[in-house]
Amino acid sequence: MEMATEHYRNKRFAPAYMELSRAYMLSPNSRPIALNILKVLMALKEQGALNQKQQENAAKAYDLLSGQPLSGEQKAIFQRCCDELTLPELSQFYKEEAEKAVLAAS
């Protein structure tokens, strides 16, 4: 996670995202990692559109953080991420896609 922080500080957002993604795969219930992923994805979105995997990870992080107790600063960051990344809508889209895939497979 230290490398991700260093990349982020130096505005190397793609490498920061890759480091955080690896950490998130190892700790999928980590709220700090999820929140950091959202922050990096906001920065990446400012540079252009997010790809499908990035959008899926944003939705996954949103699902993890929604309804969880967050500090004042964390709440503010999370709300900003929700607004800028349209996370509630993105999460709903991927839930519907997963349901469609299950129905198609049966």
Side-chain angles (χ1 to χ4, degrees):
M1 189 116 139
E2 288 178 34
M3 286 300 300
T5 302
E6 187 65 26
H7 287 310
Y8 185 82
R9 283 187 189 138
N10 290 303
K11 300 190 185 310
R12 295 188 305 261
F13 301 121
Y17 172 74
M18 295 304 297
E19 292 292 331
L20 287 167
S21 292
R22 285 188 205 110
Y24 201 36
M25 285 175 41
L26 296 173
S27 300
N29 295 317
S30 171
R31 292 187 313 213
I33 294 172
L35 192 57
N36 284 327
I37 282 180
L38 293 177
K39 287 170 38 179
V40 169
L41 288 173
M42 276 195 323
L44 284 171
K45 186 176 181 189
E46 289 175 11
Q47 297 176 345
L50 300 179
N51 67 36
Q52 183 177 349
K53 185 63 177 169
Q54 291 167 334
Q55 291 177 358
E56 288 173 2
N57 277 339
K60 185 175 142 187
Y62 170 80
D63 291 342
L64 175 66
L65 294 169
S66 292
Q68 295 293 320
L70 300 170
S71 71
E73 182 182 350
Q74 290 173 329
K75 281 182 191 175
I77 292 168
F78 182 62
Q79 188 57 54
R80 193 169 134 234
C81 292
C82 287
D83 294 343
E84 290 188 27
L85 298 172
T86 62
L87 292 175
E89 295 86 355
L90 197 59
S91 173
Q92 185 62 36
F93 172 78
Y94 282 107
K95 285 178 185 174
E96 290 170 3
E97 289 297 306
E99 288 174 15
K100 287 178 192 176
V102 168
L103 291 175
S106 51

